[in-house]
Amino acid sequence: MSINRAEKITIWTAFVAISGFIIMRIFHGELYVLIPEHTYLFIHSGTEFISFAVSFTMLALGWLFFAKSLSRQRLYTAALFGVVGLFDMLHALTMKGMPFYQPVGDTSMTLIFAAIAQMTGAIGLYFIFRKEDMPIAATQRLPVVGTALGIGALLAIIIYYLAGPSAELLTGMSLVGLRSVSKTVILLSYLITIGTILYSNRNERPQALLTIVQSMVFFLFANIQFILGNSMNDTDMLFGHLYKLVGYYFLLKGIYYVTIEEPFKQQKRSDSRINYLAFHDELTGLANRRLFGERLNAEMQRARQNDNRLAIMLLDIDRFKTINDALGHSFGDEMLQAVSQRLRHAAAKPDHVFRMGGDEFVILLPDLENKAAADKHAQALMGLFDAPFVLGEAEYHVTISVGISFFPQDGECVDVLIKNADTAMYSAKVHRNEFANYMPEMNVTAHDRLRLESDLRRALEQEQFTLAYQPLVNLNTGKVVGVEALVRWHHPQRGLLPPGEFIPLTEENGLILPLGEWVLKSACKQNKAWQDAGLPPIMMSVNLSMRQFRQHGLAERIMAILEQTGMNPQYLDLEITESMTSDVEFATEMLTSLKAIGVQISIDDFGTGYSSLAYLKKFPIDKLKIDRSFVNDLAEDGSDAAIVTTITAMAKHLKLKVTAEGVENDEQIRFLRDRQCEEAQGFYFTKPIPANLFENWYRHRNQMA
């Protein structure tokens, strides 16, 4: 076990006290002398007044400096030594040769006050430190200190006026017995208190408490010296008072640590922490946006002086919101920490990596020779993310998009450089896992994006959205068994927009929730209308977004929509993606609540996510939809054919239906039928069509059949 500096000092202090005592006992004969009474009175009075001053200094320190950090031990120690100081003062004033000297039986008033002071200090410290320290209200200062000093003063007055020269208890053998008891109590109290403090703080020994232990070691040997003294004015008593003064020194030092030095150090730590948090990100430990601004300003100034160029690379984790929603914010924080560690270790200068907020980071590249050097840095940065992140027991692959802006051509101030790098980053994010240098024409695209986001809000209010429906066909019977509702946007200026142009925006700004609810309600309403128009009941498939899936009370919301539209729950199929099931416990609970209302559950784009097959059998699902990327090249790609075959075989064993997406030709149909895939959808049958056209298409198909 390692020993800290304060513990070493305590050990050496105890060694010095013990060694000094042993030396005095060995050379006692040579050192022992009787000191002239007047000389001893002067020395003794001085030491006692010093003791009195130290005691009341501790009282004053406790009263003045503990107000904001008052604790039981601090307050009671201050009050205790106020009383001890009072009796030390009375001890000095009643010495022989002083005006208030008074004999009492076979002893004197001064020795009574001295014994009471020593016993009060020894026993009081034991009772104070035998219990764990705890905070106490500052309003308790006056009652505690006032009560302690009042009791001490009252006791002193009673002793002074009631103790007479012929006091029976203070004569002969009674006095000897009382002396023995008081000395034993004092020595045992100090020993037990030292042991109590050391044991109670055995794991972490604060310097202040160890200093108090040092003081009690000297108090202990001071009292041993008093016991061994043969006369009131010999060197044994003098050495005892010297030990006592050293004890008071350490006690005052301990109080100083508690009242002044430790609060000062704590304030410095707090100031340092506040300063650190002002310029660093608490989660990742990287420098933050504020420090980045200062560093970038300094580097731009240096670049101007040296006619150099610099660049900033702004990077963003692709689909981080989906990761956060799927796996939870705690996992998202772990991912951010892992990304920051990788960036810090790979950077030439770790202090040139900054976190801007969210999942955005910046890397500062000073002293660049040309743009090609920045591109080389960007390619190396992209390569950092080829390796997966191992979090827990799983591996996760993430990609980043990077935007680069250069000083001075892309901006001559911090805000402009950041804005242009951000614009370049969003340009790269269109394709994901890419980097792009800023170009002025990108501002047009960024402006279009902002305008489109503004138009989205108006589109919801003005109901500019519509649904198209793509049939699901049973491959064995050729009958239409369902449709998938797909949202489209009739933009007043841009015309009909596909989901890929606006759905990512709705996911970022939260509009996906009201839009998703509108899609669900409209699809259910349309399915009920077809049934009322005489079409046989078919399954209506509706996609749920990640945010919808994690929405509080989702099952209740869906049930309310079914009741409003009058559609039977058994004809509603809710499609989720594999990524939504990564949080297995939450997914199981949510899927169970959805199944409880009677709807069907499908996993869309199966094979492209990262769900665990071990958990798949535990989820209450009804169908797997094979992603179109595996169906497109069935005839040419043996791997895709193997994947589709495996999925259909697995689904059959799990008693799940299988739907193939993106079917476009007869060869795919034959392959899927041979693999016992029940359903298919795609352009082979028809493109997604509006509701009125679907009804006509359906009736025509039935007539042809």
Side-chain angles (χ1 to χ4, degrees), residues 653-681:
H653 286 294
L654 293 175
K655 298 180 180 179
L656 302 175
K657 289 183 179 180
V658 180
T659 298
E661 299 179 295
V663 176
E664 296 183 356
N665 55 56
D666 289 322
E667 193 171 1
Q668 293 170 342
I669 291 290
R670 285 193 297 271
F671 182 92
L672 293 169
R673 280 178 179 157
D674 291 343
R675 301 307 185 276
Q676 297 181 345
C677 179
E678 290 94 341
E679 299 172 357
Q681 68 181 94

Side-chain angles (χ1 to χ4, degrees), residues 391-454:
L391 300 177
E393 298 179 355
E395 293 183 349
Y396 299 90
H397 289 269
V398 298
T399 59
I400 59 172
S401 298
V402 181
I404 308 173
S405 64
F406 295 87
F407 172 85
Q409 57 265 44
D410 295 334
E412 295 191 7
C413 70
V414 172
D415 291 339
V416 173
L417 280 173
I418 293 175
K419 180 182 76 67
N420 290 339
D422 190 61
T423 300
M425 185 267 291
Y426 272 106
S427 177
K429 211 169 184 63
V430 172
H431 305 287
R432 304 191 190 280
N433 197 28
E434 287 191 1
F435 71 90
N437 294 325
Y438 169 76
M439 292 183 291
E441 52 266 31
M442 290 178 178
N443 285 328
V444 177
T445 305
H447 181 71
D448 287 345
R449 176 186 172 87
L450 286 174
R451 190 166 56 189
L452 191 65
E453 185 172 357
S454 177

Side-chain angles (χ1 to χ4, degrees), residues 373-384:
D375 291 348
K376 186 176 180 181
H377 279 290
Q379 289 169 352
L381 181 62
M382 306 293 290
L384 282 179

Side-chain angles (χ1 to χ4, degrees), residues 197-211:
I197 293 175
L198 293 177
Y199 180 78
S200 300
N201 298 274
R202 58 190 179 279
N203 296 323
E204 182 181 352
R205 292 174 176 168
Q207 184 176 9
L209 285 179
L210 290 177
T211 308

Side-chain angles (χ1 to χ4, degrees), residues 80 118-128 185-186 189-190 193:
L80 173 67
Q118 294 162 12
M119 289 186 65
T120 301
I123 297 173
L125 286 173
Y126 167 71
F127 279 103
I128 289 172
V185 169
I186 291 169
S189 296
Y190 280 126
T193 306

